[in-house]
């Protein structure tokens, strides 16, 4: 069964991920412990062989080989990180694509339930048979690619015994000779049966029939995609390159990371620790990474984190039959909802979630942005004979200073809706426009306006 720990990491807390390190089922320890034991055993063999079985002259030769291998593993002669990282990324994208390609009958059963009509036995038989054909197709494709499903249904007789297929349908299925997988045959039966339901008037118009065919084709496309995922694998040469790169790297580490006699003064060999701690960590990370790619490259096996295909089959057949049979025209009486008479209402919270009501609703990232008078100053083309204006705020007290946006004093963007609309061009009925450009009255008006703004800016400063 797939290992799920989603609830345990729903909230970030101290030591949240650390608790997951002690799990065994589905862990990296379970995948890697045999490889790690073999590596430790071979490393111990070379260490004992060097220390106790070789003559001094042979030890000198071993030490020169170890120094050469150590130099080789500490450089980029083997690009382990590059080839391994790219491979695991490719395997993960393939794994996610296979998961999203799993054929689920949910959309198809909704269309069948809403468009194949008839509360009598014939209507019920049509709807259940249509969904049984759809589920039969998924069973046939899954038993072709999943070891779990194939063990559950090793022969087509087991499929008949499970109720996905009748004996007459099995005979028709086997009578059609083809060298290729025939998972598509039940979907062809679905198509023909839907056409017959249209002729009988169970499907009331061609639009409903087209909707059935569209959903059927989407379902068939996912079945076909799963088949092609199983058929076309990641190129074998790439898998071989990654495997050889990782294992050859650590094969050289078995000799190159040996602790040499510190009395001989070799560089970086001043301690004799016997246990290569950091080499073991490096082996754990790199080989563990390779095991991750090995695990997810085919999720239709029987590993801890492989897809629960048998459980998905059980879920799909049960849900689809409930949707087209028990739920067909099975509606609750129409009643007025609880908030029918209320135009504005709020949904209650529990005591543990009541604090969320104090959080203001998000209205946009620029809603509370502060702006100055220069940002809101209306700019007119040079050839427009209009005076410079400042938009007054609603609710001005008439004292000459509150009615204008003051230069240097920011305002919240939330006050923008309260701005009064001021015409950007003079009105024909205004006496100011009737004054000549150099008229004394117009000039005095402009001077008084600017003086009020200056006084307001000075007060803010």
């Amino acid at each position: 069964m797939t290992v799920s720990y989603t609830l345990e990491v729903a909230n970030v807390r101290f030591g949240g991920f650390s608790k997951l390190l002690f799990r065994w089922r589905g862990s990296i320890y379970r995948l890697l412990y045999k490889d790690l034991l073999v590596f430790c055993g071979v490393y111990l063999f070379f260490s004992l062989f060097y220390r106790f079985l070789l003559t001094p002259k042979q030890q000198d030769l071993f030490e020169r080989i170890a120094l050469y291998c150590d130099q080789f593993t500490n450089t980029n002669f083997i690009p382990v990180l590059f080839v391994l990282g790219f491979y695991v990324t490719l395997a993960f994208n393939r794994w996610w694509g296979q998961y999203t390609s799993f054929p689920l009958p949910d959309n198809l059963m909704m269309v069948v339930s809403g468009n194949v009509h008839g509360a009598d036995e014939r209507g019920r038989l049509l709807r259940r048979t249509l969904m049984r054909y759809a589920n039969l197709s998924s069973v046939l494709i899954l038993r072709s690619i999943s070891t779990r499903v194939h063990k559950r249904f090793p022969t087509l007789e087991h499929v008949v015994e499970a109720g996905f297929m009748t004996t007459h349908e099995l005979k028709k299925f086997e009578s059609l000779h083809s060298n290729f997988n025939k998972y598509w045959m039940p979907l062809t039966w679905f198509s023909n049966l839907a056409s017959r339901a249209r002729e009988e008037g169970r499907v009331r118009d061609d639009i409903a029939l087209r909707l059935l065919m569209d959903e059927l084709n989407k379902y068939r496309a996912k079945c076909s995609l799963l088949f092609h995922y199983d058929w076309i694998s990641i190129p074998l040469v790439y898998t071989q390159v990654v495997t050889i790169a990782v294992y050859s790297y650590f094969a050289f580490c078995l000799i190159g990371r040996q602790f040499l006699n510190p009395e001989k003064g070799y560089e970086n060999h001043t301690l004799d620790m016997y246990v290569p701690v950091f080499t073991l960590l490096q082996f754990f990370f790199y080989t563990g990474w390779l095991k991750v790619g090995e695990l997810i490259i085919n999720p239709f096996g029987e590993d801890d984190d492989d897809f629960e295909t048998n459980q998905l089959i059980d879920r799909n057949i049960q849900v689809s039959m409930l949707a087209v049979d028990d739920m067909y025209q099975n509606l609750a009486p129409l009643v007025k909802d609880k908030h029918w008479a209320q135009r504005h209402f709020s949904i209650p919270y529990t005591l543990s979630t009541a604090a969320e009501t104090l959080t203001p609703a998000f209205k946009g990232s620029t809603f509370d942005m502060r702006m100055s008078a220069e940002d809101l100053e209306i700019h007119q083309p040079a050839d427009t004979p209009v005076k410079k204006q400042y938009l007054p705020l609603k609710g001005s007290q008439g004292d000459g200073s509150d009615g204008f946006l003051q230069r240097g004093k920011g305002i919240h963007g939330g006050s923008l809706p309260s701005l009064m609309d001021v015409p950007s061009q003079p009105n024909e009925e205004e006496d100011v426009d009737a004054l000549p450009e150099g008229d004394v009255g117009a000039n005095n008006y402009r001077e008084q306006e600017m003086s009020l703004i200056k006084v307001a800016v000075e007060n803010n400063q």
Side-chain angles (χ1 to χ4, degrees):
M1 184 176 181
T2 303
V3 179
S4 177
Y5 56 91
T6 308
L7 181 61
E8 298 181 22
V9 296
N11 298 318
V12 179
R13 59 184 182 275
F14 178 75
F17 274 19
S18 301
K19 297 179 180 178
L20 302 176
L21 299 179
F22 301 100
R23 288 193 173 191
W24 173 255
R25 188 170 175 274
S27 66
I28 187 62
Y29 319 120
R30 185 172 181 177
L31 284 177
L32 195 61
Y33 78 95
K34 294 181 180 179
D35 302 75
L36 187 60
L37 290 177
V38 171
F39 181 81
C40 292
V42 177
Y43 183 91
L44 180 61
F45 169 78
F46 279 109
S47 179
L48 297 176
F49 185 76
Y50 161 68
R51 296 171 188 274
F52 303 108
L53 299 179
L54 296 181
T55 63
K57 186 176 180 180
Q58 291 173 338
Q59 286 182 348
D60 291 338
L61 178 61
F62 182 87
E63 289 163 357
R64 289 196 296 270
I65 296 175
L67 291 174
Y68 178 77
C69 292
D70 185 50
Q71 180 184 4
F72 183 78
T73 56
N74 286 327
T75 57
N76 292 324
F77 290 137
I78 301 179
V80 179
L81 282 176
F82 175 75
V83 297
L84 189 57
F86 188 77
Y87 181 79
V88 173
T89 302
L90 182 63
F92 177 81
N93 292 334
R94 177 184 173 86
W95 172 82
W96 183 251
Q98 291 179 88
Y99 174 74
T100 55
S101 300
F102 198 90
L104 297 175
D106 297 55
N107 292 342
L108 188 59
M109 70 188 187
M110 295 300 176
V111 176
V112 170
S113 180
N115 293 280
V116 181
H117 300 282
D120 56 348
E121 185 176 353
R122 175 65 177 174
R124 182 188 178 193
L125 179 62
L126 286 173
R127 289 189 298 273
R128 290 181 65 92
T129 305
L130 288 172
M131 292 313 303
R132 184 169 59 81
Y133 287 159
N135 283 277
L136 172 60
S137 180
S138 66
V139 169
L140 292 178
I141 189 61
L142 287 175
R143 69 182 296 269
S144 302
I145 66 175
S146 173
T147 57
R148 291 183 178 183
V149 179
H150 190 79
K151 287 182 178 180
R152 184 181 182 182
F153 305 109
T155 64
L156 290 178
E157 283 73 15
H158 290 82
V159 178
V160 174
E161 182 65 25
F164 289 97
M165 182 188 293
T166 65
T167 54
H168 297 289
E169 293 166 352
L170 177 59
K171 292 179 180 179
K172 285 186 172 293
F173 186 85
E174 292 178 339
S175 64
L176 182 65
H177 298 286
S178 175
N179 295 328
F180 302 98
N181 195 319
K182 296 186 291 184
Y183 67 90
W184 47 268
M185 278 191 64
L187 299 180
T188 306
W189 297 342
F190 184 107
S191 177
N192 295 332
L193 187 59
S195 299
R196 181 175 298 180
R198 174 71 182 98
E199 295 174 356
E200 296 177 2
R202 303 285 181 170
V203 179
R204 294 177 180 173
D205 51 42
D206 293 336
I207 297 177
L209 180 62
R210 172 65 182 272
L211 186 59
L212 277 170
M213 293 297 103
D214 288 344
E215 291 299 331
L216 176 66
N217 284 327
K218 293 177 183 178
Y219 189 85
R220 180 208 55 78
K222 289 192 172 184
C223 293
S224 177
L225 193 56
L226 282 185
F227 176 76
H228 286 284
Y229 267 121
D230 185 67
W231 186 9
I232 308 298
S233 303
I234 295 177
L236 179 61
V237 291
Y238 194 19
T239 303
Q240 291 175 339
V241 166
V242 175
T243 306
I244 293 173
V246 173
Y247 284 110
S248 63
Y249 177 83
F250 287 105
F252 287 110
C253 286
L254 289 171
I255 299 177
R257 301 295 174 84
Q258 291 288 335
F259 289 97
L260 304 181
N261 189 354
E263 296 178 357
K264 295 186 178 182
Y266 293 118
E267 186 179 0
N268 298 327
H269 288 276
T270 57
L271 294 176
D272 194 0
M273 298 179 62
Y274 300 98
V275 179
V277 178
F278 295 103
T279 301
L280 292 179
L281 286 176
Q282 196 175 26
F283 179 85
F284 184 84
F285 296 145
Y286 285 7
T287 311
W289 208 356
L290 180 64
K291 287 293 182 181
V292 171
E294 185 180 335
L295 174 69
I296 65 178
I297 194 171
N298 182 13
F300 292 100
E302 298 179 74
D303 295 321
D304 290 339
D305 278 311
D306 284 343
F307 298 156
E308 295 291 339
T309 48
N310 282 324
Q311 193 172 17
L312 283 170
I313 289 175
D314 295 339
R315 179 261 175 197
N316 290 344
I317 187 63
Q318 183 185 96
V319 170
S320 57
M321 290 304 177
L322 288 175
V324 300
D325 193 358
D326 294 29
M327 291 298 298
Y328 176 73
Q329 299 297 331
N330 187 6
L331 299 174
L334 296 178
V335 296
K336 296 180 179 179
D337 60 85
K338 184 177 181 179
H339 308 287
W340 177 268
Q342 301 175 0
R343 182 177 180 182
H344 301 287
F345 56 89
S346 59
I347 307 300
Y349 286 76
T350 60
L351 291 178
S352 61
T353 60
E356 297 180 14
T357 60
L358 303 178
T359 304
F362 180 75
K363 298 180 181 179
S365 58
T366 63
F367 186 79
D368 294 327
M369 187 176 71
R370 298 181 65 85
M371 303 182 71
S372 64
E374 293 180 351
D375 298 326
L376 299 178
E377 183 178 323
I378 298 177
H379 174 73
Q380 296 291 345
D383 56 349
T384 303
V386 52
K387 63 180 182 295
K388 186 183 296 183
Q389 299 186 33
Y390 291 83
L391 296 178
L393 291 174
K394 184 181 292 185
S396 59
Q397 302 298 325
D399 57 359
S401 61
D402 295 337
F404 296 95
L405 294 175
Q406 302 169 2
R407 187 180 304 274
K409 180 180 180 182
I411 66 170
H412 290 289
S415 61
L416 288 178
S418 64
L419 296 176
M420 297 179 60
D421 294 332
V422 175
S424 60
Q425 296 184 0
N427 196 314
E428 295 180 356
E429 299 179 356
E430 291 181 354
D431 296 334
V432 177
D433 293 346
L435 294 175
E437 183 67 23
D439 189 82
V440 178
N443 293 333
N444 292 337
Y445 178 84
R446 297 188 185 95
E447 292 176 359
Q448 292 176 2
E449 183 183 40
M450 296 303 298
S451 64
L452 289 175
I453 296 176
K454 291 180 180 179
V455 170
V457 171
E458 292 173 357
N459 291 337
N460 289 330
Q461 294 177 349

